[in-house]
Every structure is written in C-alpha cells, then in structure tokens.
Amino acid sequence: MRVRNIGILAHVDAGKTTVTERILFTTGATYKRGEVHDGTTVTDFDPQERERGITIFAAAVGCDWAGHRINLIDTPGHVDFSAEVERSLRVLDGAVAVFDGVAGVEPQSESVWRAADRYGVPRLAFVNKMDRAGASLEATVAAIRSRLGVTPLVVQQPVFDGDEFVGVVDLVGLRRLVWTNGVLRVTPAGASEARRRLEEAVAELHAGALEELGDMSEPTLRGALRDLTLSGKAVVVLCGAAYRNRGVEPLLDAVVDYLPAPGGDPSGDLAALVFKVHAARTGRLTYLRIYDGTLRKGDVVWDADAGRTERVARILRIQADRHTDLDQARAGDIVAVAGVKAARTGATLSTRDRPVRLEPPATASPPLVSVAIEARTRAESQKLTGALAVLVEEDPSLTVRVDRETGQTLLSGQGELHLEVAVKKLGIGVTVGRPQVAYRETVTRGVTGMVYRHVKQDGGAGQFAHIVLDVSPSSEGFAFASAVTGGRVPAEFVRAVEAGCRESLAEGPIGGHPVAGLRVVLRDGATHPKDSSELAFRAAGRFGLRQALAACGMTLLEPVAEVTVDAPAETLGAVLGDLGARHGRVTGSTSSSVRAVVPLARLFGYATTLRSRTHGRGTFTSRPAGYRPAT
Ligand SMILES: Nc1nc2c(ncn2[C@@H]2O[C@H](COP(=O)(O)OP(=O)(O)OP(=O)(O)O)[C@@H](O)[C@H]2O)c(=O)[nH]1
Ligand SMILES: [Mg+2]
C-alpha cells in the first residue's frame, strides 16, 4: 500500500486537532465526531489535554484514503511544546499547515513554518474556520505571502450561501463541492478568472506548465502543483471549516496528490530512528520511523548510540492511545515497539553488522524557566527521583539538576505551562517554588594576556600547564581559537584547553549563571617535558578562563519574549499601561493588537492580569525572543 506520513502544524487553536478528528471521521477510522471542548477527541487523549482543551503531546494516528495509508501526527501549537513539534518534523515526509481564517498567520504558525523549512518538509496550507465571521481567504493568503515569504497557489475558492460558508470550487478539477447536512454534493464548475490566475502563477514557476499556458490540461496543472510543493518553491492553499466538516475530502485528496511518498527500501539494511519514548504504565513504548529495511517481531537490533543490543518484543500500529499488533513494519512506516529498554529519542536502531546512525532531531533550546520542587513526604521523596528521570526521558527539553548551594531540586523547561504540565504529570505530591527565569552572563569588555599556570610538582607524577588567554565579546555563543606558534603547545593540549574553557562556561562570575557570547584565543603557552598532560591543560583552561572572566566586564542577561496581545480597542490603553509596568518595549500595534518585547520574568501570571484588564476578551501569545540585559 502506498503511504503518506504527514504532520498537522499550526499556532494554538487554529484547529489542528479538529482537522485531525474530521480526517479520521471522514475516512471512516472513527465513527463519532469528537470535540476538543468536550474532551472527546481521539488525539487529545491525555487527561491534562482533555482538561485544558489544548494539545500537549504529539499523537500518532492513521487512516486510509484513496488507496493510501495516511499516517498522521497531530502536534501541539503552544510554544512551550515546540520541541515535541521538532521531534515529529524530523520523521515526517510532509505536513499540513493549518491557519485560522480570521487570525491569519499567527506567531507560532510562523515559527513552525520555519522549523519545517529547516527539516525540508513539503507543506500544504489549509485555511480553516472559514465559517467564522470575519474569515478571509484573501487576507490569509496575503499574510502567507508576506509573513512566510512563500508563493501561495490558491486552488480553491470559497462558496457562500448568504453569510454561510457552504463549500468550495476546486479550481484544478473544475468542480463545485457543497456540504449540506453532512452530505457532500459535487457538480461541475466552469473555468473562471480564478483558474486563469492559478495557471499563470504556476506557469511563472514551472517550465512544463508554461508551455501549456492558455490551454493547460488538468494533469499538467496537477503535476506542476506537485513538483512545486515537493521543491518548496510554492505552497498549495486550500480552505474549509473543519469544525463543520467542510473541506476535508479535498484536503485528503491534496495530501495524496501533492505530498511526497516515503522513500526507503524494505529489503535494505534496517535503519529506524527513535523519535519519541513513552513510559506507559504497561511498559515502555518506543516510537520509530523506519527509513530502510524491514523490522520483524522478535528481531534483535543494535543501538549504536548506546552500544548495546535491544530486542523488539512487539511491533504496534498506533492509533492515539490504542494499538494493534503487527508482525512486521517496513521502510516508510511509523510504528511503536515494546521490549526496547533503553534506546533514547534520537537513537538509530539498525543491525549489528551494519550499524547506521541517522541524524537525530535538533536538540531543544536551553531551558528558560525553572522551579524548585520538593516532595511533601519522605515516602514520596523516594519516588521523586525515578519519576523525574522518566519525565526527562520522555521529554528531553526538560532538565533536572540539584542546586549546589541550596540543595534544591530544580526542574527546568521552556515555559511556565511546560513546567506546570510536567509537575502534574509526575503524579507525586510536591511543593513547587515560584518560577525563576534562566539568566545568562556575557562579556562586555574583554582582557588580553591573562596568564594562568597550573603547576603541581611536589613529588610523584606532577602536573604542569602554562597558558595565556585573550577573551573578547562575541556575537556567537562561544568561539575558541589558538594563535600559538612553533608547536609550543601540541594540538591535543590545545583541545584540552578548549574543553576546560567550555567547562568553566557553566558558571559565570556574577551569579553562577551560564556564560555565553565570548571569544577565547589561546595566545601562548608552555609545556614541561615530563609533567604536562591533557588533564593538566584541561584544568588550566578551566581555572584560567574562570580567572579571566572575573577580570572581564560582565553583564547579566535575562530571557525576553515577544508578546502579541489581541484585545478590544477600548481596552488597549489598559493593556499598554500594564505592559509598560512590566518593562515591555512596544514594537508594533494596530487598533486591536499590540506587540511588545517583555522580560520573561515579568510575564508570569500574565494571563490572569490580561483577563481582568480586558474583561475576559483579550488573548495573547508569546514566543522566546533571545536575551537582553537584565532590567
Ligand atoms: N468556528 C470554527 N471553530 C473551529 C474550527 N476548527 C476548530 N475550531 C474550534 O477551535 C478551537 C481550537 O481547536 P483545536 O482543534 O483544539 O485547535 P488546535 O490547533 O489543535 O489547538 P492546540 O492543539 O491547543 O494548539 C476549538 O474550540 C474548536 O472547536 C472551524 O472550522 N470553525
Ligand atoms: Mg490540538
């Protein structure tokens, strides 16, 4: 059977889960229509998702359409869970980007669009919520062009009956599709001005289509749309109202027509990437995308990352929280396996004689927010360590560490919501401290010729390393170079100095925060014929840079977020005043929205304040916008 592996991507609330739900309903994979607000959808099955009405974890489901197996991943839209989206993007061949027809291209849609660009995932655009007052395909298409910098190819025109969105004209197949009372009626539609514009836009980008301009056949147009989608030169735009189950069939057709089939050779050597680990109570489930070869039940596979073998006890086809057993899975499949005990997200499973390592998903950005957590009772405290380990294993964008000074256990993640969800998922009675942001330290004024000698020569094997460092500010995180001439410091000791320097970046001189934004040059150095070693040079790098940083001009940086607030015009004054009090810097505004850069530390609890200032009518989204000097 032919396969499509696709993801559903978008900003919070654009309708990803609803689109997924209707796809499952339309293809007959489910028989009832679940709703996000009732907590009855297939993919939002976690209790926290049902309670909060948002997607937190990427969920895999599958269905059949037009002779194809479609494997789908419904991803979360909230920025705190971006790492979950990235892990999914790594293993998908294509995606549907959903846009809210009223709100247009929202900030997180833009972020996931860029992430999909990085992973080279071809996309379709689906403009959803066409049934809402104020929805505009035209305005959303204009925003796709200007904000995403991609050429939109609009293949449908919405059909309205009075104010009601009832269907679409398919400009490629020249058909009119109208949904009434859940029934789709298809009638022929004539060529139109909109079709002519589509042909022109396609011909401009596609040589084959250009030859037929003026009299373009349907197969040529379809073929050109597919080529342009796969090359990423343009994006096909469709529209609909998922909630009303309008526009879903043509979306499925477009997935089959325009998005890529997975590559790979089922008879080749096994190569499967672990992209998600789920520590279910009934046992550990390891999610795999198989790129090459065939995996059979009972196979012993090799994890080159860990250097160990694993046994695949069961292979499961996943349907959200349910699964069915399979005997085998082939190149192109997305499945979960049971029995694999230790392979981590990002690991490749292969055969021992032909080990392979596929590129893992990008590592999550460093945590921005931490909370101190403490178990309420001694019994729970014993369970806490294990529960935290499971949490981090499932979500590598979380980290746990024990603060050296206070002895507190700190859980760090991407935002307030991320940590709130994680703490609840622990299922252990814990007291949670106030959220703290992750500060950084950076170099504003460097030093040159800082000499450091690491010498221990008091009998026995001695240690000797002599180095001279220059430190200067840099726009990069950390850059290191050697300017030592005449082989005065051998290459392996230079590498040891660099490793030592990296170690000392963990704690800066202002408050023990991580240090970033500096360039270190090893200017000179000296060795001792007997007592010099990598260990000694590593220590010199570590303590030498620590001493140098103490002499540098340093500044404390704090994370900031770009906040976009939408609120009724008459409340914007109050919103602006409040953002000012939070040290926000306004970067743009319209009659009903404000955009500002605000220190993350001053955004905790913002949702509550915004509600009261706008009488419950304001909404906001925020996304990380780097670091600024602390206010
Ligand atoms: N009017 C209208 N509402 C819709 C449509 N599609 C989705 N919604 C509603 O929009 C809200 C959000 O929908 P979801 O499907 O949860 O959105 P999502 O993109 O999955 O959201 P997150 O997973 O939290 O990022 C729900 O209340 C849906 O019922 C639509 O076509 N029309
Ligand atoms: Mg969702």
Side-chain angles (χ1 to χ4, degrees):
M1 199 176 211
R2 284 170 293 179
V3 174
R4 296 285 180 275
N5 292 315
I6 64 166
I8 310 287
L9 310 173
H11 190 85
V12 184
D13 267 1
K16 297 172 292 296
T17 300
T18 307
V19 167
T20 306
E21 190 69 23
R22 295 304 184 262
I23 286 179
L24 295 177
F25 180 74
T26 302
T27 57
T30 54
Y31 296 101
K32 62 174 205 320
R33 282 172 23 175
E35 303 301 346
V36 174
H37 49 87
D38 297 335
T40 53
T41 63
V42 175
T43 50
D44 283 354
F45 60 82
D46 182 271
Q48 289 206 60
E49 297 182 312
R50 303 215 140 164
E51 193 183 305
R52 294 171 194 268
I54 58 167
T55 305
I56 297 169
F57 310 104
V61 286
C63 60
D64 298 325
W65 183 254
H68 288 69
R69 168 88 198 163
I70 299 179
N71 293 316
L72 247 160
I73 297 184
D74 175 25
T75 66
H78 196 285
V79 59
D80 282 20
F81 310 112
S82 309
E84 187 81 359
V85 183
E86 295 240 348
R87 285 193 285 278
S88 307
L89 275 173
R90 172 65 185 83
V91 297
L92 294 168
D93 303 308
V96 174
V98 179
F99 298 92
D100 178 326
V102 179
V105 177
E106 297 168 275
Q108 189 58 13
S109 295
E110 201 175 328
S111 303
V112 291
W113 188 271
R114 308 265 172 253
D117 279 340
R118 281 201 304 282
Y119 286 91
V121 173
R123 267 143 286 169
L124 301 174
F126 182 72
V127 179
N128 190 33
K129 303 200 185 182
M130 288 300 295
D131 59 320
R132 282 184 57 197
S136 164
L137 177 61
E138 231 167 67
T140 306
V141 167
I144 288 175
R145 187 190 295 279
S146 64
R147 293 198 60 177
L148 304 179
V150 64
T151 306
L153 298 172
V154 183
V155 299
Q156 292 178 340
Q157 290 287 291
V159 175
F160 292 93
D161 178 3
D163 280 346
E164 192 190 349
F165 169 78
V166 292
V168 297
V169 170
D170 165 7
L171 298 173
V172 182
L174 295 175
R175 307 175 303 161
R176 192 180 154 94
L177 297 88
V178 171
W179 289 266
T180 27
N181 303 323
V183 179
L184 167 60
R185 274 213 339 270
V186 184
T187 50
S192 60
E193 172 63 19
R195 162 73 178 236
R196 199 185 55 74
R197 278 203 305 270
L198 172 62
E199 288 183 13
E200 272 178 5
V202 168
E204 208 167 294
L205 297 167
H206 193 279
L210 182 61
E211 283 178 17
E212 286 187 21
L213 188 60
D215 182 25
M216 201 178 291
S217 72
E218 190 186 322
T220 300
L221 180 55
R222 230 178 257 288
L225 288 170
R226 180 174 172 83
D227 292 346
L228 293 171
T229 303
L230 297 185
S231 65
K233 282 190 186 140
V235 63
V236 166
V237 183
L238 303 101
C239 66
Y243 183 62
R244 303 198 182 277
N245 211 10
R246 293 178 178 168
V248 177
E249 294 89 342
L251 174 62
L252 283 160
D253 288 338
V255 165
V256 166
D257 285 347
Y258 306 133
L259 291 179
D265 174 9
S267 59
D269 295 315
L270 180 71
L273 184 73
V274 176
F275 69 95
K276 185 178 167 80
V277 168
H278 180 53
R281 235 168 248 122
T282 46
R284 187 182 195 263
L285 284 183
T286 306
Y287 286 67
L288 300 178
R289 160 73 199 259
I290 302 181
Y291 283 89
D292 261 315
T294 299
L295 183 68
R296 288 178 191 81
K297 198 169 128 176
D299 276 356
V300 172
V301 295
W302 177 248
D303 173 358
D305 259 5
R308 53 172 283 170
T309 54
E310 295 265 19
R311 189 170 167 280
V312 175
R314 289 171 72 194
I315 303 176
L316 305 164
R317 158 106 46 234
I318 298 291
Q319 191 73 350
D321 54 346
R322 305 203 177 152
H323 20 80
T324 42
D325 276 89
L326 300 173
D327 290 329
Q328 59 170 42
R330 296 146 51 91
D333 273 341
I334 291 180
V335 293
V337 294
V340 169
K341 292 201 180 65
R344 296 190 167 277
T345 296
T348 306
L349 301 182
S350 58
T351 58
R352 191 159 187 173
D353 346 329
R354 295 185 184 260
V356 186
R357 274 171 117 159
L358 299 165
E359 195 187 329
T363 45
S365 38
L368 296 171
V369 181
S370 310
V371 286
I373 51 175
E374 196 182 340
R376 294 222 182 91
T377 64
R378 178 172 293 230
E380 288 182 317
S381 138
Q382 280 166 356
K383 282 190 269 173
L384 185 60
T385 314
L388 284 170
V390 169
L391 210 60
V392 174
E393 186 181 8
E394 288 195 345
D395 182 355
S397 65
L398 289 167
T399 56
V400 174
R401 69 188 171 86
V402 175
D403 187 279
R404 211 186 296 161
E405 267 163 37
T406 61
Q408 284 176 317
T409 300
L410 296 175
L411 179 66
S412 312
Q414 304 297 314
E416 216 181 347
L417 180 63
H418 191 204
L419 294 179
E420 211 180 290
V421 165
V423 166
K424 198 150 182 206
K425 193 151 175 264
L426 274 176
I428 291 179
V430 288
T431 338
V432 183
R434 273 162 45 94
Q436 307 282 329
V437 296
Y439 290 97
R440 277 189 189 171
E441 300 179 19
T442 194
V443 174
T444 47
R445 180 179 39 78
V447 289
T448 51
M450 176 63 72
V451 177
Y452 190 85
R453 289 167 69 83
H454 179 76
V455 184
K456 285 212 174 73
Q457 291 171 312
D458 43 9
Q463 290 186 29
F464 181 93
H466 175 106
I467 58 172
V468 182
L469 298 178
D470 294 349
V471 179
S472 55
S474 158
S475 56
E476 283 171 70
F478 173 66
F480 181 90
S482 168
V484 182
T485 51
R488 285 166 57 77
V489 182
E492 66 267 28
F493 292 169
V494 172
R495 278 195 295 275
V497 173
E498 178 175 356
C501 286
R502 281 188 191 278
E503 284 168 7
S504 74
L505 297 179
E507 287 178 28
I510 301 179
H513 310 290
V515 182
L518 71 161
R519 178 179 163 80
V520 175
V521 176
L522 178 61
R523 175 71 39 214
D524 199 4
T527 56
H528 179 275
K530 256 201 351 274
D531 293 345
S532 281
S533 63
E534 284 181 28
L535 196 73
F537 274 91
R538 189 168 177 141
R542 179 173 185 153
F543 298 117
L545 183 57
R546 182 186 293 178
Q547 177 186 300
L549 289 178
C552 285
M554 301 290 294
T555 297
L556 191 65
L557 300 178
E558 65 177 340
V560 292
E562 186 190 71
V563 182
T564 309
V565 183
D566 289 290
E570 66 273 19
T571 62
L572 273 192
V575 169
L576 278 168
D578 177 59
L579 286 173
R582 292 171 194 268
H583 298 207
R585 195 165 47 75
V586 174
T587 53
S589 64
T590 68
S591 61
S592 63
S593 76
V594 189
R595 192 172 285 193
V597 174
V598 188
L600 193 58
R602 295 181 194 268
L603 271 183
F604 296 139
Y606 183 58
T608 316
T609 311
L610 183 67
R611 255 197 306 280
S612 75
R613 301 247 166 172
T614 62
H615 315 294
R617 288 158 68 204
T619 58
F620 83 105
T621 58
S622 76
R623 62 172 172 184
Y627 281 78
R628 299 282 154 80
T631 53

